[in-house]
Amino acid sequence: MAKLTLPQLEAHLFGAADILRGKMDASEFKEYIFGMLFLKRCSDQFEAVRERLIDDQVAKGKAREQAENLAEMRHFYREGDFYVPDEARWPSIKDASRKKGVGDMLNRALAALEEGNTPALDGVLQHISFTRKVGQTSLSDKKLQELVDHFGRYRLRNEDFEFPDLLGAAYEYLIGEFADSAGKKGGEFYTPRGVVRMMVRIVEPHADMRVYDPCSGSGGMLILAKEYVEEHGDDARSLSLFGQEYNGGTWAISKMNMILHGVGNAVLENDDTLTSPKHLEGGELMRFDRVLTNPPFSQNYTPDGMAFPERFEYGWAPESGKKADLMFAQHILAVLARDGIGATVMPHGVLFRGGAEKQIRQGIIEDDRLEAVIGLASNLFYGTSIPACILVLRGTAPRPAERRGKVLFINADREFTAGRAQNYLDPEHAEKIVAAYRAYEDIDAFARVVDVGELAENDFNLNIRRYVDNTPPPEPQDVRAHLHGGVPKSEVRDKEALFAAYGVDAHSLFAERDADYYDFLPEGWERTAERIPSLTEPAEERLREAFNEWWNRHSKRIRELPDTRRVMATRAELLESFVAELEPLGTLDRFQLAGVIASWWGSVQYDIRTLSYHQFSGVVRGWLSTIESAFTDDANDARDTQRLAAAKRNARDHRIVPVLIPDYLAELEEAEAHHTALGAEVKAAMAPRDEDGEEEAENVPSPAELKRLKAKLTTAKREVRALEAAFVGRLGRAVHRKLAEGGTDDFVLHILKGDLQCRLDACLLSGRHVVINGFRTWADKYAITLRDIKVQRDAAESRLNTYLEELGYA
């Protein structure tokens, strides 16, 4: 039985969501998908454990019936394997879904599963109701039956997955997709993972620590804290995870998230953190080594009945006006261990609002509890388009001497990649922010260490631009050059480093004019701009050669993974050595290189996990299985048709296709070109004719010729469709030949290297464009002088006067 791949499972879960779209939005139907997934997973894994127990008992001499009775004893099911009562088992659910009252039946199944697994699932599933009405809408029996049938397509046992954490990875994907679909409501349960990873790197959790999120949402910050510990070679099992979430449905999602990620020791509570913090020790607030959180922005609160009011030693923010943000910050300070570190997302208003909030800020700063303020780009977070910031907070222990009495300001509001509806914090941006935080020193137009005395002089206003203005300097304009031509040598000197990084001497792009100015070369600035790629090519080629040498030295770690399974150690070596060995060439800086290698690892990490468990051949089989699955689904409606068409395009674009079946791609391209050409001929032949024009007889096809042309077009279209239909079969045969030949390790490494090479080339291309645009900017400013403009004006005026004279108006 083929292993289930992550792309397959992601498509499967997204298909389940498609069944419910239209009836209600993602923020409302997500709990049904999560609930159904949890039921199916628990049932399937229960059956796996149950079958194993029965086989063991039979092997020991027990009768089959006796073994089956023993396998119903609940104490056999532990460490994430839940006991599933009969009415919550998938065969029972599937049979009952053919009758009326499917929603009630599913609710009973959830309740039975929860009751059968106390205390692990206490309260987790009761927040999900398949009969709940959203407005005037509820799910019909038919729609729920479709959902049951859909989830029945794949078995979800551990042994079915291409790597152990596949289900957790797919669950995280689904949460992200729901957040994206839910728009503003998505911010209530999801923080973009690029931001979370950056925050985790700032606080640096380690084994044996307690990590806490007081507004834990879907649990992503805690999951990524665990991953960070694993990535750095520590034992994440010794990490203690704690969280509290106010929204019951979101809390249930976070509990399931932890379970599906195999995190059995996370302590997640459901209540209002400000009013009633639940993590206590000896009757007092529990203390944590690391705190990571993204509290809800701009909330009101009430002090009535608030437990542990001593948390708010720096003051009480206004109860109205939606200003509870610094109350959350004070809660973090109150629960930090003496040498603890916390990072929290905050709206910018907390940095400069006056009144009680100013007094709170002042107290925190004077007690040396604020270590850094990091400004982020706008539109990074779901739920708000405004820019946010991150406050890095410390426990009560004295900070290192060099940081004492100081606050680091980082202005990273230009560090983002623009998206269609959302901006993104990519690895390159995160690397720059984390490096600046760790260096804790001034970086021009990006970071500045500010003494508390200066903050006091500014009345403890922490507006980031007051301390780090990253406004780009205005483009210099040389009046003499505008009037008389030439390019100022001072401007060329200012951009020397930009050109030199790509091996180009900026001064060589010009001809000498005088002591202060250059002229464009006699060949013309356009020709010079066209030559720049050939000038940058040697530097780019040196980087590619260094990349090849790096790959040859370090890819052996990937080759060894089926034996070592040291995935995280391999990751660390690849990420560190890539930057260390390529940065000295000077073409790309450390942040660009870190972004290239980190984004590559993020895209291939699941393939690498698969090969560590199922050999290189398992990766190749997984790729084929993923591609084949895109052609086996059937569309139920227009949305399905659109999604499946996109899935088929992505499958044909998979990186193994041009390597294994290049002949097929050439045939398809030729057939499509022939079909397109014939289509153009038919369209031209059928175009309306100008009644007043004279058409030569030979240029107008006769009805018989037009009929033959249409027949050719039909045949060409049939040939294209036949080739498209043959795609899966031809690829499958090529894959099986490759598996039979052996050498799958070289093949997979070739594919992985090609992916990384493409990312490196894209980064080089982007930098080359910056160089070319730098030169073109000089041409845009100075290639045409005032005298040239006057000559053009006079010529235009002369032509106009001539036209007017011819028309008799002069």
Side-chain angles (χ1 to χ4, degrees), residues 721-734:
R721 286 182 173 173
L723 276 170
E724 289 176 341
F727 168 70
V728 171
R730 290 183 66 166
L731 181 64
R733 289 191 292 274

Side-chain angles (χ1 to χ4, degrees), residues 190-203:
Y190 187 81
T191 303
R193 292 317 184 232
V195 176
V196 178
R197 287 188 180 93
M198 183 265 292
M199 293 173 66
V200 171
R201 290 181 65 193
I202 283 175
V203 303

Side-chain angles (χ1 to χ4, degrees), residues 70-81:
L70 283 170
E72 293 294 326
M73 298 179 70
R74 302 187 181 197
H75 68 268
F76 284 120
Y77 303 89
R78 54 186 181 275
E79 297 181 1
D81 295 329

Side-chain angles (χ1 to χ4, degrees), residues 12 83 104 113 164 170 238 253 277 353 370 447 461 494 507 515 611 642 661 668 675 677 694 779:
H12 175 61
Y83 173 78
D104 288 325
L113 180 60
S238 67
I253 290 172
R353 287 196 294 250
L370 178 64
N461 185 319
D494 289 343
H507 300 277
L611 72 86
Q642 187 176 13
I661 50 172
L668 180 61
H675 175 259
E694 293 292 331

Side-chain angles (χ1 to χ4, degrees), residues 191-192 195 198-199 294-295 297 344-351 373-382 384-391 410-413 433 464:
T191 303
V195 176
M198 183 265 292
M199 293 173 66
N294 177 13
F297 286 5
T344 177
V345 180
M346 287 276 146
H348 273 242
V350 304
L351 303 177
V373 178
I374 302 170
L376 300 177
S378 60
N379 207 30
L380 286 178
F381 295 88
Y382 296 101
T384 178
S385 60
I386 63 172
C389 66
I390 293 172
L391 302 185
I410 298 176
N411 192 345
D413 63 6
I433 294 168
I464 297 170

